Amino acid sequence: MGRHIIGAAADLPPGKNKILTVEGRSVGVFNVNGTYYALKNSCPHQGAPLCKGRVTGMTLPSEPGQYVYGREGEILRCPWHGWEFDIASGKSIFDPHKCLVKTYEVAVEAEAEESPSVETYEVKVEEAKIVVYI
Ligand code: FES
């Protein structure tokens, strides 16, 4: 499994996502309420660029006749035919047992930047980076 630094965590605030190519694969990286997730940018239905879809919420299970909307920012809707996926798990909302998008491991890691002076090894900047493992 390869470790790929894809950018500074500060550049991808909650609610934002970006699509990039890692090891020849198109991957969408999402910040959902401060947690980072990575999904393959390909819908299991007909291969649409899924990560270009809208990030939304969903109707939650509730009493008959009631419609409760929630989980805003946690659901990704395919731009072609509207299939919806849970960004955290990659599972389809309507058929979670059979239909899912491939997910990749994401970590936020502190990269220490050392000063050029060999004697001091002073850590100048410590900035959190988003790392995707593919
Ligand atoms: S290709 Fe995604 S819903 Fe059809």
Side-chain angles (χ1 to χ4, degrees):
M1 194 158 50
R3 177 178 183 269
H4 304 273
I5 296 173
I6 59 123
D11 292 341
L12 198 66
K16 297 287 180 202
N17 64 75
K18 68 175 174 183
I19 298 170
L20 37 113
T21 304
V22 183
E23 286 198 0
R25 275 169 266 201
S26 185
V27 176
V29 180
F30 294 79
N31 182 339
V32 179
N33 302 323
T35 306
Y36 295 89
Y37 301 98
L39 299 175
K40 187 176 177 187
N41 185 22
S42 176
C43 180
H45 179 216
Q46 288 181 0
L50 176 65
C51 298
K52 289 188 176 159
R54 206 157 72 82
V55 175
T56 177
M58 62 182 278
T59 305
L60 303 177
S62 53
E63 299 292 315
Q66 281 190 348
Y67 294 92
V68 180
Y69 187 80
R71 301 196 62 195
E72 181 64 44
E74 299 178 26
I75 309 297
L76 179 61
R77 184 178 295 152
C78 179
W80 284 6
H81 313 104
W83 286 21
E84 292 177 327
F85 296 88
D86 186 330
I87 295 171
S89 67
K91 289 180 177 175
S92 151
I93 299 305
F94 297 105
D95 194 359
H97 300 295
K98 289 205 194 109
C99 183
L100 75 161
V101 191
K102 182 159 179 48
T103 57
Y104 302 102
E105 194 185 324
V106 187
V108 175
E109 298 174 7
E111 283 277 307
E113 247 180 58
E114 285 161 6
S115 78
S117 158
V118 185
E119 286 136 42
T120 57
Y121 275 107
E122 178 195 346
V123 175
K124 274 208 309 204
V125 181
E126 198 173 68
E127 199 178 61
K129 304 279 189 199
I130 306 169
V131 180
V132 176
Y133 291 89
I134 290 186

